[in-house]
Amino acid sequence: MASAKSFKRSDSIADSMPEALRQSRFHMKRCFASYVSKGRRLLKRQQLMEEIEKVIEDKFERSKVLEGLLGYILSNTQEAAVDPPYVALSVRPNPGFWEYVKVNADDLSVEGLNAAEYLKFKEMIFDVQWATNDNAFEVDFGAMDYSMPSLTLSSSIGGGLNYVTKFISSKTTGASENAKPLLDFLLSLNHQGENLMINETIDTVAKLQAGLVVAEVYLDGLAKDTPYQQFEQRFAEWGFEKGWGDTVETVKETMRSLSEVLQAPDPVNMEKFFSRVPVIFNVVIFSPHGYFGQTGCPRLA
């Protein structure tokens, strides 16, 4: 039997699993029969492994199964959706990498599924009519495409912000014209029809840089805790709007961050600046519990 060590990310679980099942056919027939014996349900990894322990009582035989490819697949299965005679497995062998397979408990045949097919199969457990309705509500939580390269290595997971700031820094380095997309982004910021950061008075990168110099000199003459409202009118005349900060001190820090980005773009300054840009105004808390069919929770209308 193929071992876990021999399984590569390029291998397909749907292609590899049938042979592994055949090599442990007797035990797997009993095991999958046990999975489907209680009807439609969801099983977590721990429950899958507990069923194996009950079915394969001989420790030596059980170890042979669990140390092979089949054991590797089951140990990386996050959950299994059961709709007799089928058991659909959601397998995560590597961070950011998923595979879905459906096993027929009667003959141990294996079929590969895509994410949408797996989710539809999973919905069958709770509501067949909903799962088979072509007009059912669907939500795609995948990343939006901003026409920039995507992270491909699992080791990059969690470092998206660092990657994005490096990418943007590389694009804005050089001539001032390269910072035009950043200027356009600032011009696009508004909240309920009110401009933020800058207005149309500042329509070139050169004007933005010059305005930052003038504004910083002006702020140097004010106390650090002076509220923004006291110099808001003067700033508006120069093309600056709300969003830089609530006091002289915070406004200066934000403007200095932007000046550094425009003069010498680097990921650290880029991240520092964007962390201060007002882009989030409303937070919606969406609880999926009822939607995914847990007992006692109301479904979304």
Side-chain angles (χ1 to χ4, degrees), residues 1 23-24 27-28 52-53 55-68:
M1 179 185 293
Q23 292 182 6
S24 301
H27 294 304
M28 287 302 99
I52 290 179
E53 288 187 10
V55 171
I56 310 177
E57 296 179 355
D58 186 283
K59 291 184 178 180
F60 177 74
E61 290 296 324
R62 187 165 65 240
S63 294
K64 281 178 58 179
V65 172
L66 296 180
E67 290 173 3

Side-chain angles (χ1 to χ4, degrees), residues 105-175:
D106 293 337
D107 58 11
L108 298 184
S109 59
V110 180
E111 176 188 350
L113 302 174
N114 58 37
E117 291 169 336
Y118 172 76
L119 291 174
K120 179 169 285 191
F121 181 88
K122 183 177 175 181
E123 275 292 339
M124 293 282 287
I125 298 173
F126 305 102
D127 192 331
V128 175
Q129 184 177 0
W130 177 274
T132 55
N133 184 353
D134 292 336
N135 296 314
F137 176 65
E138 294 184 7
V139 180
D140 184 359
F141 288 100
M144 290 179 285
D145 179 17
Y146 287 105
S147 301
M148 65 168 50
S150 301
L151 299 175
T152 56
L153 298 176
S154 59
S155 58
S156 299
I157 294 176
L161 179 58
N162 181 259
Y163 177 83
V164 169
T165 53
K166 286 181 179 178
F167 177 80
I168 297 176
S169 297
S170 68
K171 293 296 182 181
T172 54
T173 300

